[in-house]
Amino acid sequence: MPQYIFAYHGGAKPESQEEGEKIMAAWKAWFAGMGDAVALPGAPVGMSKTVSGNGIADDGGTNPISGYTVVAADSIDAACTMAQNCPMVKDGTGSVEVAEVMEMDM
């Protein structure tokens, strides 16, 4: 089955422990709902650097990634349907970029 990477953009840092627990519960419920489709849970990530021919920039780029997950789905449309239920998509604080992971012989 094809795999798709969810690249998370945005999200909000919890303002209290209670809010943080509520956010984590929403993420855990979303992951539980996807079940075996979650191939690699991934993790949040820190601020990125952008490496280009012009050097290294510390700004995180134009749309910095805030985390990632890899899921298995029948199609990119099915993966996008899963991503629509992401807690930060539902609460309006972020977005999910969905792309197929292409297999390569190395």
Side-chain angles (χ1 to χ4, degrees):
M1 182 172 296
Q3 292 188 331
Y4 299 87
I5 190 164
F6 288 175
Y8 305 118
H9 300 276
K13 189 171 184 175
E15 293 184 16
S16 67
Q17 182 176 347
E18 181 180 272
E19 184 182 2
E21 290 170 0
K22 183 178 175 183
I23 291 169
M24 282 305 301
W27 279 85
K28 287 178 181 181
W30 178 52
F31 273 80
M34 289 188 290
D36 291 339
V38 178
L40 177 65
V45 299
M47 181 55 71
S48 62
K49 294 184 179 234
T50 302
V51 180
S52 70
N54 296 326
I56 300 172
D58 290 330
D59 62 2
T62 57
N63 192 14
I65 186 172
S66 56
Y68 70 97
T69 297
V70 177
V71 300
D74 291 329
S75 67
I76 194 165
D77 292 332
C80 287
T81 297
M82 283 189 251
Q84 286 178 316
N85 290 313
C86 174
M88 66 185 199
V89 169
K90 293 185 83 154
D91 72 12
T93 62
S95 63
V96 180
E97 188 173 344
V98 180
E100 186 172 0
V101 177
M102 308 303 286
E103 291 190 34
M104 293 177 52
D105 291 330
M106 298 294 280

